[in-house]
Amino acid sequence: MALLDDLDRRLLAALRVNGREPVASLARELGVTRSTINSRLNRLTSSGTIVGFGVRVREDRDPNEIRAITLIEVEGRATDRVIHSLRGFPEVEALHSTNGGWDLVAELRTDSLADFDRLLGQVRSVEGVVNSETSLLLSSVAHDDLPTTPPRPPRP
């Protein structure tokens, strides 16, 4: 994977705010040429740094949706097998390895509490999972509300 410089990080931050932002707007915002933005996007995509572009949906559009973070402890050397199993669950939106008392962190999303209950049972029954702790996500601070670092002025 490519090493990221300041421009790469600022470009990625701008794309997190709006993944559909036109190249010309990104170039103006970041103080570089369109060809620079195009070459950075091509490099970041071909290196695997950018793995896709998505849509963020406002949470209040589906107020009954259940979102949670599950911390998972894995037995011995079963981590690869557990990861493989959990990747097969469509409700697992993201899966992260971690340090500390837990081995994996799963981001979960279901349509109802009944589906969530079923999913937790499935996660806990995966061979190699010895313990888990789940926290429901009640609300989030939108990325747009977070303070951002202003872009640096263009270089002469």
Side-chain angles (χ1 to χ4, degrees), residues 68 70 108 115-125 132 134:
T70 298
L108 309 176
D115 290 341
F116 184 73
D117 186 42
R118 176 194 48 76
L119 175 62
L120 281 183
Q122 290 177 326
V123 168
R124 291 176 180 146
S125 68
S132 69
T134 300

Side-chain angles (χ1 to χ4, degrees), residues 89-110:
F89 297 173
E91 302 91 345
V92 176
E93 289 205 323
L95 192 58
H96 312 275
S97 61
T98 186
N99 67 332
W102 301 98
D103 300 301
L104 299 171
V105 176
E107 297 177 39
L108 309 176
R109 186 179 301 258
T110 64

Side-chain angles (χ1 to χ4, degrees), residues 57-114:
V57 178
R58 285 182 45 174
E59 293 168 26
D60 61 353
R61 295 296 184 220
D62 188 356
N64 296 323
E65 188 172 68
I66 308 299
R67 298 174 312 117
I69 298 293
T70 298
L71 307 171
I72 301 167
E73 181 183 356
V74 176
E75 175 183 50
R77 299 179 187 265
T79 303
D80 289 340
R81 186 172 63 243
V82 170
I83 289 171
H84 180 74
S85 294
L86 293 175
R87 283 184 177 160
F89 297 173
E91 302 91 345
V92 176
E93 289 205 323
L95 192 58
H96 312 275
S97 61
T98 186
N99 67 332
W102 301 98
D103 300 301
L104 299 171
V105 176
E107 297 177 39
L108 309 176
R109 186 179 301 258
T110 64
D111 292 329
S112 68
L113 279 175

Side-chain angles (χ1 to χ4, degrees), residues 129-146:
V129 171
V130 293
N131 193 16
S132 69
E133 180 179 315
T134 300
S135 295
L136 293 176
L137 300 176
L138 303 175
S139 64
S140 296
V141 177
H143 290 289
D144 296 341
D145 295 340
L146 296 176

